[in-house]
Amino acid sequence: MATTDSKDGEEKQERIDISTAMRKAAGQLAELLRCEPSSVSSLKATDDGWTADVEVVEIEKIPDTTSVMASYRVSLDGQGQLVGYERIRRYARGQVDR
């Protein structure tokens, strides 16, 4: 990982790139929840790192469109380490936002 010198002489690690942040957000949430995320629906840089919204199938049902999905907000530091997460929404897979 590349480093840069700050004003006070300390070395500071550079922020990871957006594609790495997306993979790390999904991967670390999958490890915690023990299920594979369906998608990353939002990813944005913050002052402290990254925030991502990750979609997960919480309850599989038949037909597939009635499965229960959840959206989790994941917070990463600038180097991609998970610092927090929360479930922000639950919905049926077939539900369309308006």
Side-chain angles (χ1 to χ4, degrees):
M1 175 127 338
T3 59
T4 57
D5 290 327
S6 64
K7 290 181 197 174
D8 55 9
E10 293 181 16
E11 287 192 3
K12 180 180 168 187
Q13 292 186 336
E14 290 181 11
R15 180 195 305 256
I16 59 172
D17 62 69
I18 193 166
S19 60
T20 301
M22 188 165 78
R23 286 191 304 275
K24 286 188 173 267
Q28 291 179 73
L29 185 64
E31 197 174 303
L32 284 171
L33 300 179
R34 299 183 188 262
C35 65
E36 284 302 310
S38 297
S39 65
V40 176
S41 58
S42 169
L43 180 66
K44 60 183 167 185
T46 65
D47 291 341
D48 299 324
W50 297 93
T51 300
D53 290 348
V54 181
E55 309 305 313
V56 175
V57 178
E58 286 206 328
I59 303 170
E60 296 259 0
K61 291 188 175 185
I62 299 174
D64 174 79
T65 56
T66 62
S67 292
V68 177
M69 303 291 293
S71 184
Y72 285 85
R73 178 140 310 135
V74 177
S75 298
L76 305 175
D77 66 16
Q79 288 69 53
Q81 296 302 308
L82 183 74
V83 293
Y85 77 99
E86 65 179 315
R87 185 174 64 199
I88 56 173
R89 181 174 172 235
R90 288 181 94 189
Y91 58 97
R93 178 177 254 160
Q95 181 180 338
V96 178
D97 286 341
R98 295 178 191 235

